[in-house]
Amino acid sequence: MSDEPKLTLIGKLFLLLILGACATGAWWAFNRHSAAAPGTASGASVASSSASAIPGPSEAVPSGGNASQATLPGAVGSIEIGVAYGTEKKRWLEWAAEEFPKTAAGRGIQVNLIPLGSIEAAQAITGGDKRIDAWTPAADLYTDTFVREFELKHGRPPISQQEQLALTPMVFVSWGERTQPFMVRYKEMTFKTVGEALKASGGWGGIAQKPEWGFYKFAHTHPSQSNSGLMALLLMAYDFHDKTRGLTMADILDPKFQGWMVDIESSVVEFPNSTGNLMKDMVLKGPSSFDCVLVYESVAIDYLKNAEGRWGTLQVTYPRKNLWSNNPYYVLATPWSDSRRQAAATALMKFLISEPAQKMALTHGFRPGNPAVPILFPESPFTTGQKFGLKVDLNGICESPKGEVIHNLLVGWNNNVRPH
Amino acid sequence: MTLAVQCLNDRTGKGEGRPAFYVMKALFTFQLRIAVFLCLFMVGTLRMAAQNRVELVFAYGSEKEEWINEATAAFNRLGAKTAEGRVIHVQGLPMGSGECMDRVANGSLKANLVSPASGIFIKLANAEVRTRTGKDLVGETENLVLSPVVIAVWKPMAEALGWGSKPVGWSEILSLSKNPDGWGSLQAPQWGQFKLGHTHPEFSNSGLISILAETYAGAGKTAGLSLVDVTRPEVEDFVRGIEGTIVHYGASTGFFGKKMFQQGPGYLSAAVLYENMIIEANSGKYPLPFPVVAIYPKEGTFWSDHPVGVVDAEWNSAEQRRAAKRYVQFLLAPEQQRRALAFGFRPGLVDIPLASPLDKAHGVDPSEPKTTLEVPKPEVIRAVGQLWQKAKKHSRVVLVMDTSGSMNSGGRIENARKGAAQMLRLMKDEDTFSLLAFNARINWAMHSQQLAQGRATAEKTIASLWANGGTALYDAILAAHEDLQKSPDTGKISAVVVLTDGLDTNSKTSLELLMKAIRFDSENNNTRVFTIAYGEDANKAILQQIADATQAKSYSGTPENIESVFKDISTFF
């Protein structure tokens, strides 16, 4: 037998207590490690003090395919719906996705925002993308084609309910410093004068004795990828034929129009795939990148203030002929959608046209679809933005042409304008 | 503890008289067990911690290294988690933009997100990967920060070019470079010839941008550069004229900036750099003889727009992609964007106004650039690269290779041969190559052969080197240097590349005499001596001194890294 001392039960318990304390300490250290980088002594305190710098899981993720989420933790019978949308409404819809679940009607409804271009979204829904329960493109230009193709494939109409959420026209946005000499030279800003500036010999040297400004640079979005790009082509067609309704196939196929349109378009600097990205690029890179762009009025309003702190003021000019982007909202009656999801999508639609949501739309530059919400009041962007050229009353509003007219306009552009 | 000792004594009944011994013994045994237990516990904890983390590899252009380092450390401290509850940990890898995209495109670097200095590299990599896989390597991107590419010029020299009173650009530089009087043509003969630096376009974003801007300026365009433009003789003449003023190339824009600011106007009159580097230089980091200013070429320039995007590859899981987007959001948050401004970058977040240090006091103009250039199509970019190969300043290189007996150890001579062969491969047919092998004696193994004809011979000669004898290092360097200096050719880059693994033991030339003979003089003595201290026995301090005296670069080489050292040196030619 060993004559070494043995531990009593109390001694063992005491030692177990110490071991337990060590384990607890180590577990605490591990948890702390998980909350902070390895080797960071002050990780926990930094995490709490800087947490606001990074959006949480419920916050929006930028466009690129991943959904934004607004969750209602612990909600009984929660349901998830997907909303495909045009990125021009990104900021407003992200706000709505956050706020809607806080309302009585939205309790338990999680909204996944899916950024998709109009054509892309129509194809996804027709192709059976089960994530999408509602769709809100920038305009209803593609709706006829979408409905026709969906019915052909699925044998049923795809839309159960719809509402017009907000309105916005198209605008030319140019740098204030350069707008004035442009107007002195050309008197007005139209597609015709923009086209002349693009072709001006010596660029700005020929336009306003400013060779250091380089060539005149104009851009709009890609007509096959972005609704505002298609709007640009339609406005050119209406402007060329000087009409506001009844745009026909003959008008589109007119060789004079085709030649004129191709002449302008071949000088366009760039055709980005998103209106928001185009406007953001203009503000980030200044006049060196674009002298003038054609975008939605709402997008321009969203960036007017930002530009002031960078390159100076922006000036908004309305084209002679214009088109409304009516931002429709479609509740989809697809074979894979059930009544609960359709009801949830309908509830979101009602929230979006409610007065609080419409007021928020206005702050993001949209003209409310709900007539009960006023546009002009002292804090309205349409009041404060008058110095930038914003105005409420517009002339020369054109009607949406038929699907075949739009289709042929796009075919002509794709065939004759250099692709990017 | 007293209670435990009491219990311990009660149990044995033998503690009386020697309790301290048993207490110590018991405690020792106990502590041993605790130590073992804790070790096991720590291993387990660390394994669990590793399993509980999402690792992201972020490969990015090294121009923004300081900002990314700071921001990434802050992000990692936050302990942000994925929806699956795992902590996101980002590892940043700064490198050249070309290398970054090449390695990710060929799969040798499995990065989760990338941010080269310019969207041009994304465009090129996507075009390459699309031909193989049918899809882009990187999808949508966002600009993290912006910085225009500018020509950094010493303020008095910029004023002589007309800066401040008229728009200045590549055409002014071309006419200065073509004038045999150099700065004398602008009433400043004391400045000698105009000397320009830009990086190697195959390795660095600013180098690629430099040759694209030169080509655009030669073609008189700001957009729509075509394959036809690139083949026009007047465009080639324009590019050749500018490239004729090049001092040497290099892999790193940062190296040029640092050298220019440290060495002064005698080394470089101007260099193609990023705007943020001008701000950094004028912020007191270097003891500048004059301020440096940014010339925004009147013909147009490019934005270094630092696009960041998630890599669409099989090694990037859905969780990692979501985590990468969280990290990008963090970098684009106002707090990080304001810090980027402090580092001299223009923020990618439009909400942040441009303010100090982006101002004239720091040599830059926030209202510039007035004109930017359109990124050409990938096939046109490749054609511009081929044009540069023809029009670039070519090189005369003497490789001075230590073949003393000590090179036999540890595979040194074998790996040195491989490294030299690598450098040879990266040199162009128009370059001239000499090989001077030395031990106690110096031997011209190959002398002044143009590689168009002599490449195969050069390869064989390098492969035939073996080691034996002493080290006449200084004699060898002096002989190589004198050989290039006796027939100076300002139309070529003259360089000696020295590899040695030991101390000089057999030279007749003293170090003092050598230093006097090789010291750089921008007008008469402009051969550069690049040195490689190979292994632990080489005298790094002396080799650094030799390289510094000729405004070149010194490297530490090992058998393991020697190929990459030679590769880096080849970017100077």
Side-chain angles (χ1 to χ4, degrees):
Chain A
M1 250 182 90
S2 167
D3 59 352
E4 285 183 13
K6 297 278 190 325
L7 286 171
T8 63
L9 182 64
I10 297 175
K12 283 179 180 171
L13 284 174
F14 180 75
L15 294 181
L16 275 174
L17 200 67
I18 292 173
L19 278 174
C22 287
T24 309
W27 182 248
W28 174 83
F30 166 69
N31 280 335
R32 192 166 173 270
H33 171 94
S34 297
T40 308
S42 59
S45 62
V46 173
S48 60
S49 64
S50 308
S52 61
I54 180 165
S58 67
E59 291 185 40
V61 175
S63 62
N66 279 347
S68 299
Q69 297 182 344
T71 54
L72 192 64
V76 178
S78 63
I79 187 169
E80 187 178 319
I81 57 168
V83 179
Y85 72 104
T87 51
E88 63 289 331
K89 293 189 286 293
K90 183 171 184 282
R91 292 187 189 185
W92 178 44
L93 290 182
E94 282 175 354
W95 169 87
E98 287 285 325
E99 295 302 314
F100 174 55
K102 297 174 188 168
T103 64
R107 184 172 169 75
I109 301 173
Q110 176 180 309
V111 179
N112 294 332
L113 296 176
I114 305 165
L116 287 174
S118 296
I119 294 177
E120 203 181 0
Q123 287 172 346
I125 298 163
T126 306
D129 190 330
K130 295 181 175 54
R131 297 175 302 161
I132 305 171
D133 300 290
W135 176 33
T136 171
D140 55 11
L141 291 174
Y142 295 108
T143 307
D144 286 350
T145 310
F146 161 65
V147 170
R148 198 169 51 245
E149 288 182 359
F150 189 93
E151 285 178 344
L152 210 61
K153 183 165 181 184
H154 299 282
R156 59 193 288 182
I159 298 168
S160 66
Q161 290 192 66
Q162 58 181 292
E163 192 66 71
Q164 188 170 276
L165 295 182
L167 293 169
T168 192
M170 300 299 291
V171 292
F172 289 112
V173 182
S174 53
W175 295 101
E177 181 195 24
R178 299 188 180 194
T179 307
Q180 195 196 358
F182 181 96
M183 289 301 197
V184 169
R185 173 75 172 78
Y186 296 108
K187 313 296 180 217
E188 59 179 352
M189 190 172 285
T190 64
F191 284 104
K192 183 171 175 293
T193 58
V194 166
E196 286 174 18
L198 285 168
K199 295 285 176 191
S201 174
W204 275 105
I207 298 167
Q209 289 78 50
K210 290 278 189 185
E212 68 272 22
W213 289 353
F215 290 100
Y216 188 79
K217 299 169 286 291
F218 170 70
H220 59 71
T221 57
H222 199 294
S224 296
Q225 295 170 2
S226 162
N227 182 71
S228 73
L230 177 57
M231 290 282 202
L233 297 189
L234 284 169
L235 291 181
M236 277 189 213
Y238 276 121
D239 196 27
F240 182 84
H241 294 291
D242 196 18
K243 54 164 77 170
T244 56
R245 55 187 57 248
L247 194 68
T248 63
M249 287 281 280
D251 292 332
I252 299 303
L253 300 176
D254 178 356
K256 284 183 186 164
F257 165 69
Q258 283 291 326
W260 178 76
M261 184 265 286
V262 170
D263 200 36
I264 293 173
E265 291 293 278
S266 62
S267 300
V268 168
V269 179
E270 206 178 320
F271 298 106
N273 62 1
S274 146
T275 319
N277 287 347
L278 172 60
M279 192 67 227
K280 186 179 170 188
D281 241 27
M282 183 175 190
V283 174
L284 278 179
K285 297 178 180 172
S288 70
S289 290
F290 305 114
D291 290 301
C292 179
V293 295
L294 187 78
V295 294
Y296 300 117
E297 179 192 61
S298 58
V299 172
I301 290 171
D302 240 8
Y303 282 92
L304 287 174
K305 285 279 175 204
N306 298 140
E308 273 191 304
R310 294 233 165 193
W311 305 92
T313 57
L314 286 169
Q315 189 67 34
V316 170
T317 309
Y318 292 85
R320 284 193 310 179
K321 311 282 188 240
N322 218 323
L323 275 161
W324 290 115
S325 287
N326 54 352
N327 293 284
Y329 180 102
Y330 303 126
V331 178
L332 299 175
T334 55
W336 56 87
S337 179
D338 57 30
S339 58
R340 283 185 72 223
R341 286 166 71 175
Q342 286 183 36
T346 306
L348 176 63
M349 181 178 78
K350 287 178 179 167
F351 172 75
L352 288 170
I353 56 169
S354 71
E355 204 168 313
Q358 290 284 297
K359 281 182 177 169
M360 183 54 70
L362 182 63
T363 67
H364 287 293
F366 290 98
R367 300 176 184 225
N370 181 344
V373 178
I375 294 181
L376 280 177
F377 51 93
E379 299 79 27
S380 162
F382 288 91
T383 308
T384 58
Q386 283 174 3
K387 61 180 176 182
F388 301 115
L390 289 176
K391 58 184 185 182
V392 173
D393 298 323
L394 301 179
N395 298 318
I397 297 295
C398 305
E399 66 173 7
S400 283
K402 290 178 182 170
E404 61 188 21
V405 172
I406 293 170
H407 177 70
N408 278 279
L409 190 57
L410 273 177
V411 169
W413 188 87
N414 281 318
N415 288 345
N416 298 316
V417 178
R418 66 194 170 111
H420 285 257
Chain B
M1 185 57 78
T2 312
L3 178 64
V5 171
Q6 183 65 49
C7 296
L8 189 147
N9 286 344
D10 288 350
R11 171 78 187 215
T12 62
K14 294 179 182 178
E16 199 175 333
R18 34 177 202 162
F21 169 77
Y22 286 116
V23 168
M24 291 306 290
K25 191 171 179 181
L27 278 177
F28 177 74
T29 311
F30 170 68
Q31 282 171 349
L32 205 64
R33 286 174 187 163
I34 290 285
V36 170
F37 172 79
L38 283 178
C39 281
L40 290 171
F41 192 82
M42 287 303 289
V43 169
T45 302
L46 288 173
R47 282 190 64 187
M48 283 174 72
Q51 286 166 0
N52 208 35
R53 285 205 327 196
V54 177
E55 291 288 348
L56 295 180
V57 175
F58 176 34
Y60 63 91
S62 55
E63 302 79 10
K64 50 187 178 290
E65 184 175 357
E66 287 185 41
W67 173 58
I68 291 291
N69 271 347
E70 184 184 291
T72 303
F75 179 81
N76 286 337
R77 279 199 300 273
L78 277 178
K81 290 182 180 177
T82 62
E84 290 82 353
R86 301 205 295 161
V87 176
I88 305 167
H89 184 263
V90 181
Q91 183 199 355
L93 288 181
M95 57 181 71
S97 295
E99 185 189 3
C100 164
M101 294 311 296
D102 282 351
R103 289 183 60 193
V104 178
N106 66 28
S108 63
L109 174 62
K110 292 182 170 36
N112 304 98
L113 69 167
V114 290
S115 176
S118 159
I120 295 174
F121 285 96
I122 302 261
K123 199 170 182 174
L124 285 172
N126 277 348
E128 187 210 323
V129 172
R130 210 179 302 123
T131 55
R132 278 193 278 121
T133 66
K135 62 175 188 174
D136 287 345
L137 178 69
V138 180
E140 278 197 23
T141 59
E142 292 196 71
N143 297 331
L144 282 181
V145 288
L146 293 102
S147 195
V149 177
V150 300
I151 307 173
V153 189
W154 299 101
K155 193 174 180 185
M157 292 177 168
E159 284 167 343
L161 282 166
W163 173 84
S165 56
K166 64 170 188 177
V168 178
W170 290 108
S171 53
E172 280 73 20
I173 286 178
L174 179 69
S175 58
L176 182 58
S177 68
K178 283 195 163 173
N179 195 311
D181 293 337
W183 283 110
S185 64
L186 296 174
Q187 287 73 53
Q190 70 277 17
W191 295 337
Q193 292 296 314
F194 177 79
K195 294 183 281 292
L196 177 70
H198 72 64
T199 54
H200 197 298
E202 289 167 3
F203 294 87
S204 160
N205 176 61
S206 65
L208 177 59
I209 279 175
S210 301
I211 62 168
L212 288 173
E214 289 170 27
T215 311
Y216 260 121
K221 285 185 165 184
T222 58
L225 191 71
S226 67
L227 289 171
V228 175
D229 293 325
V230 179
T231 55
R232 279 161 49 194
E234 65 270 27
V235 175
E236 184 177 330
D237 283 349
F238 193 100
V239 175
R240 192 184 299 281
I242 300 282
E243 293 294 308
T245 65
I246 290 285
V247 169
H248 59 70
Y249 301 98
S252 157
T253 318
F255 175 80
F256 264 114
K258 192 175 165 188
K259 279 280 180 189
M260 177 173 172
F261 305 140
Q262 283 176 342
Q263 307 281 356
Y267 172 62
L268 281 177
S269 313
V272 181
L273 305 176
Y274 299 108
E275 182 190 61
N276 61 294
M277 296 172 72
I278 315 284
I279 293 169
E280 185 185 53
N282 288 315
S283 299
K285 189 170 179 180
Y286 304 96
L288 302 179
F290 308 104
V292 181
V293 297
I295 287 181
Y296 303 82
K298 66 180 181 189
E299 297 90 348
T301 186
F302 288 93
W303 284 97
S304 176
D305 49 7
H306 298 277
V308 64
V310 178
V311 176
D312 187 9
E314 75 283 356
W315 63 75
N316 209 3
S317 71
E319 187 183 14
Q320 283 174 314
R321 292 175 198 223
R322 286 194 298 274
K325 288 192 174 180
R326 291 285 299 275
Y327 173 61
V328 171
Q329 281 183 313
F330 177 82
L331 293 177
L332 287 169
E335 194 179 332
Q336 280 59 250
Q337 290 288 304
R338 271 190 280 274
R339 287 297 299 150
L341 179 62
F343 281 106
F345 291 102
R346 302 189 186 204
L349 189 67
V350 292
D351 301 328
I352 297 178
L354 301 184
S356 179
L358 266 162
D359 52 28
K360 292 190 175 170
H362 290 84
V364 303
D365 183 352
S367 72
E368 290 277 3
K370 294 283 194 293
T371 304
T372 48
L373 304 168
E374 183 189 51
V375 177
K377 292 174 184 170
E379 61 269 27
V380 177
I381 296 175
R382 280 191 286 274
V384 171
Q386 286 156 8
L387 167 66
W388 175 77
Q389 298 283 4
K390 277 167 56 185
K392 78 182 278 280
K393 197 168 186 177
H394 294 292
S395 305
R396 301 187 302 156
V397 177
V398 181
L399 175 59
V400 177
M401 192 94 153
D402 187 343
T403 55
S404 62
S406 57
M407 287 286 285
N408 279 322
S409 66
R412 286 182 188 170
I413 190 74
E414 291 84 359
N415 287 298
R417 284 196 299 249
K418 282 184 198 166
Q422 159 89 343
M423 187 181 80
L424 200 63
R425 277 195 295 278
L426 292 168
M427 290 176 68
K428 311 300 175 199
D429 281 353
E430 295 81 357
D431 294 333
T432 306
F433 181 75
S434 304
L435 178 61
L436 194 159
F438 73 96
N439 42 31
R441 298 173 54 193
I442 58 173
N443 305 289
W444 284 98
M446 183 173 173
H447 192 257
S448 202
Q449 289 277 311
Q450 197 175 31
L451 287 174
Q453 293 84 38
R455 190 179 293 277
T457 312
E459 284 168 359
K460 275 186 192 167
T461 313
I462 288 170
S464 70
L465 292 174
W466 53 280
N468 181 36
T471 309
L473 174 64
Y474 304 154
D475 284 352
I477 297 174
L478 186 64
H481 191 271
E482 281 178 346
D483 184 69
L484 291 171
Q485 283 299 123
K486 75 182 178 197
S487 53
D489 184 351
T490 53
K492 290 195 168 180
I493 298 164
S494 299
V496 175
V497 179
V498 183
L499 178 143
T500 181
D501 73 337
L503 306 175
D504 188 285
T505 55
N506 297 77
S507 287
K508 296 186 181 88
T509 311
S510 67
L511 179 61
E512 189 185 4
L513 186 69
L514 175 69
M515 297 300 285
K516 197 174 171 185
I518 64 173
R519 190 164 297 284
F520 183 84
D521 159 4
S522 61
E523 299 305 317
N524 304 311
N525 202 354
N526 52 16
T527 295
R528 287 182 164 77
V529 182
F530 294 85
T531 57
I532 306 168
Y534 193 40
E536 289 305 311
D537 300 331
N539 190 324
K540 289 179 185 165
I542 288 178
L543 291 170
Q544 179 76 53
Q545 205 180 328
I546 290 169
D548 286 348
T550 62
Q551 297 188 346
K553 192 172 177 181
S554 184
Y555 296 82
S556 285
T558 63
E560 291 74 36
N561 78 352
I562 192 63
E563 284 194 60
S564 63
V565 167
F566 271 112
K567 186 178 174 186
D568 195 75
I569 290 175
S570 69
T571 66
F572 285 89
F573 313 136

